[in-house]
Amino acid sequence: MKYLIEGGRKLSGTVKISGSKNAVLPILAATIITGKKTVLHNCPRISDVDCTIDILRHLGYEITVDGTTVTVDSSKESTPEVPRELMERLRSSIIFLGAFINRFGYAKLYPPGGCELGKRPIDIHLCVLSEMGVNITEENCRICCHTPKLSGGEYRFSFPSVGATENVMIAALRADGPVILKNPAKEPEIVDLQNFLRAAGADISGAGTDTIRIIPTQEFHDCEYTVCSDRIETATYMAVAAATGSTLTLTNAPLRDITKMTEALEQMGVYVIPKLPDMVTVIAPRQLKPLNMITTMPHPGFPTDAQALLMATLLKAQGSSMIVENIFENRYNHVEELKKMGAAIFVNGNTATINGVPVLHGAEVYAKDLRAGASLVIAALCAEGRSLIHNVHHIERGYENMIEKLQKIGANVQMLTESEQNSESVCLLKDEK
Ligand code: EPZ
């Protein structure tokens, strides 16, 4: 699949933000531990969710999907045996680790393969789980976790890993005494997982702070929960407005969870006007100002997932900006592709210097990961001429209906199938040169 985008247009209108990918994935995994019926609303229709649902179905659980409402009945007995190819489709099956340990007392998972962002180690997950009493071995390339029992107590994360915090929170509900977690991740998705688990009957508090307190239980009940909206999708469409010199209104937008992106855009001269707690109007200035330095940090710092999005917005700012990527060791996959559009970006280690240019031009580019792909869409929308973006399956993993949402605000974008791309668009692009 490919996107063909004709840039240079002012956009206008309203974008409805979808449910959060990074909140719904651990929550879907956590439905395994309740053994009850869970009704989840505001689930984004994205391929990562589809893959997770396929895994839950493989476990034998009854799942129904009705638009953005997903119902999971995990009352059936099952075993955590999932074929490798099914797990690998999700890219990172590690989100199931805590739920398998809790529900089944053991887990056998293939370690997350390295992805475009780097190695994606899981040492922090395994370190805390082993301290809690999980026996960890490796068999036939699989990580095997077996736990006769999980001990209550106080545990500390060496780094506030989002996935490790989620896995330990879910596993800890099976412990033999209260669990205190220190230095956990504080991302809004952690708070949403806590709120879901509380809705299902768990006694958890402190998510979003430096200390999470968990009173273990095996008694859950049916529940209905609405997943929080996606703060990174919100940042994406804020960047679209800023980069294309447009005015856009975003609804269902969790503005309080994306304050660092708002602050960065305001420093660039963008007007971010809250209308309601979850509605915001973003008005771009005629000329964007550069940013001295933005450093990605664990929440509440500037989110690494918004780094590529902000970079795309800085491409035409009047002057030089600097971004430092502190979270992932390889999260500049978008740079070489943006340079094909005329961007002037220089990367030295984890620091990128972006020198604004007056004009970007359309090009044939390749999405290398989810947010890098979104960055290319933003740049293509403000470039002159046509761009063809390959490998948009990366984008489809995490953005619901991106093409429809962009078309609705006036963007000239279309999804091309393989055959369409071979005939029409490449000629169009060649005509441009
Ligand atoms: C989650 O990934 C998100 N994914 C990522 O979003 C996000 O970028 C990341 O958190 C940081 O906010 C989901 O929620 C599905 P981490 P996760 O564990 O849990 C290192 C997107 O674009 N680390 O906080 O994998 C790790 O290598 C995706 O939506 C260890 O060294 O992130 C990385 O450098 C991309 N050992 C850093 O910590 C470990 O055991 C942050 O990882 C675990 C992590």
Side-chain angles (χ1 to χ4, degrees):
M1 283 189 294
K2 297 165 178 62
Y3 291 169
L4 181 62
I5 297 179
E6 168 123 26
R9 289 186 169 201
K10 287 266 189 293
L11 308 175
S12 67
T14 299
V15 178
K16 183 182 178 194
I17 301 299
S18 301
S20 165
K21 166 182 89 78
N22 290 349
V24 73
L25 296 180
I27 288 173
L28 280 169
T31 61
I32 290 172
I33 72 170
T34 67
K36 299 292 183 187
K37 182 177 171 185
T38 300
V39 180
L40 289 178
H41 299 294
N42 202 32
C43 297
R45 300 314 319 275
I46 54 178
S47 57
D48 269 8
V49 167
D50 296 342
C51 292
T52 305
I53 289 172
D54 289 346
I55 290 168
L56 293 173
R57 282 196 171 118
H58 181 87
L59 291 171
Y61 302 136
E62 204 173 301
I63 317 267
T64 57
V65 179
D66 176 10
T68 57
T69 295
V70 175
T71 302
V72 182
D73 180 342
S74 61
S75 53
K76 274 182 69 175
E77 282 313 311
S78 176
T79 60
E81 298 298 330
V82 181
R84 182 171 199 166
E85 63 278 2
L86 193 48
M87 279 295 192
E88 286 189 335
R89 267 181 49 211
L90 183 60
R91 299 203 54 69
S92 175
S93 55
I94 200 68
I95 64 165
F96 284 97
L97 182 59
F100 284 4
I101 288 172
N102 180 307
R103 177 75 186 261
F104 308 111
Y106 76 97
K108 290 184 179 178
L109 290 173
Y110 292 98
C115 74
E116 304 78 11
L117 306 184
K119 295 190 296 293
R120 304 306 286 271
I122 59 171
D123 55 310
I124 300 172
H125 301 241
L126 301 181
C127 174
V128 176
L129 288 170
S130 63
E131 285 173 10
M132 295 177 80
V134 176
N135 301 323
I136 297 164
T137 57
E138 193 169 324
E139 289 166 31
N140 306 328
C141 304
R142 290 200 294 183
I143 295 160
C144 300
C145 298
H146 180 264
T147 176
K149 76 178 180 75
L150 280 175
S151 302
E154 181 168 309
Y155 304 94
R156 180 177 186 79
F157 294 95
S158 58
F159 175 85
S161 154
V162 171
T165 301
E166 291 162 347
N167 272 323
V168 171
M169 279 169 75
I170 295 168
L173 285 164
R174 180 194 170 102
D176 62 5
V179 172
I180 306 281
L181 302 178
K182 304 297 279 185
N183 193 37
K186 298 196 275 283
E187 275 69 5
E189 294 77 27
I190 304 289
V191 177
D192 216 42
L193 175 61
Q194 169 185 276
N195 294 343
F196 161 69
L197 290 168
R198 289 168 64 89
D203 181 353
I204 297 186
S205 58
T209 74
D210 290 323
T211 304
I212 297 177
R213 290 176 173 76
I214 298 164
I215 305 298
T217 179
Q218 291 295 295
E219 298 301 315
F220 297 98
H221 46 67
D222 292 358
C223 76
E224 194 158 355
Y225 187 72
T226 298
V227 176
C228 68
S229 291
D230 196 314
R231 63 193 176 106
I232 305 302
E233 187 191 20
T234 301
T236 305
Y237 287 101
M238 292 170 92
V240 167
T244 58
S246 306
T247 294
L248 294 178
T249 293
L250 311 184
T251 59
N252 277 27
L255 208 52
R256 69 196 170 288
D257 293 337
I258 198 67
T259 53
K260 287 294 188 288
M261 181 69 171
T262 300
E263 289 166 13
L265 292 175
E266 287 174 332
Q267 287 169 35
M268 294 171 68
V270 177
Y271 299 95
V272 180
I273 304 165
K275 301 285 184 161
L276 292 168
D278 63 355
M279 182 191 286
V280 63
T281 293
V282 181
I283 306 172
R286 286 174 52 79
Q287 176 60 58
L288 291 168
K289 296 177 212 163
L291 288 174
N292 179 27
M293 182 188 288
I294 289 286
T295 302
T296 64
M297 295 297 283
H299 195 77
F302 188 91
T304 176
D305 292 348
Q307 177 258 105
L309 315 173
L310 183 67
M311 184 181 288
T313 312
L314 288 166
L315 298 181
K316 289 176 34 184
Q318 199 161 33
S320 179
S321 306
M322 189 180 288
I323 289 178
V324 180
E325 173 54 56
N326 263 338
I327 302 294
F328 286 101
E329 70 262 21
N330 179 30
R331 198 162 199 178
Y332 286 132
N333 294 317
H334 39 293
V335 168
E336 289 312 309
E337 301 306 304
L338 293 172
K339 287 163 76 171
K340 293 177 184 172
M341 295 185 180
I345 307 170
F346 307 92
V347 173
N348 178 12
N350 67 345
T351 300
T353 302
I354 304 103
N355 295 320
V357 294
V359 176
L360 293 170
H361 54 77
E364 191 161 3
V365 291
Y366 292 77
K368 303 283 177 62
D369 66 65
L370 170 58
R371 307 305 173 184
S375 172
L376 298 180
V377 170
I378 295 166
L381 289 169
C382 63
E384 292 187 1
R386 288 187 185 84
S387 296
L388 182 66
I389 303 177
H390 293 256
N391 300 336
V392 297
H393 61 275
H394 287 295
I395 300 174
E396 305 273 312
R397 280 184 48 219
Y399 286 94
E400 183 182 59
N401 300 331
M402 177 178 264
I403 291 290
E404 294 80 354
K405 290 186 179 184
L406 289 173
Q407 288 172 341
K408 185 167 170 281
I409 54 177
N412 183 345
V413 304
Q414 52 183 297
M415 169 94 80
L416 296 184
T417 60
E418 284 305 320
S419 55
E420 283 169 318
Q421 184 269 333
N422 294 336
S423 59
E424 176 194 344
S425 57
V426 173
C427 313
L428 282 174
L429 281 171
K430 282 180 181 144
D431 290 349
E432 286 296 305
K433 286 180 181 139

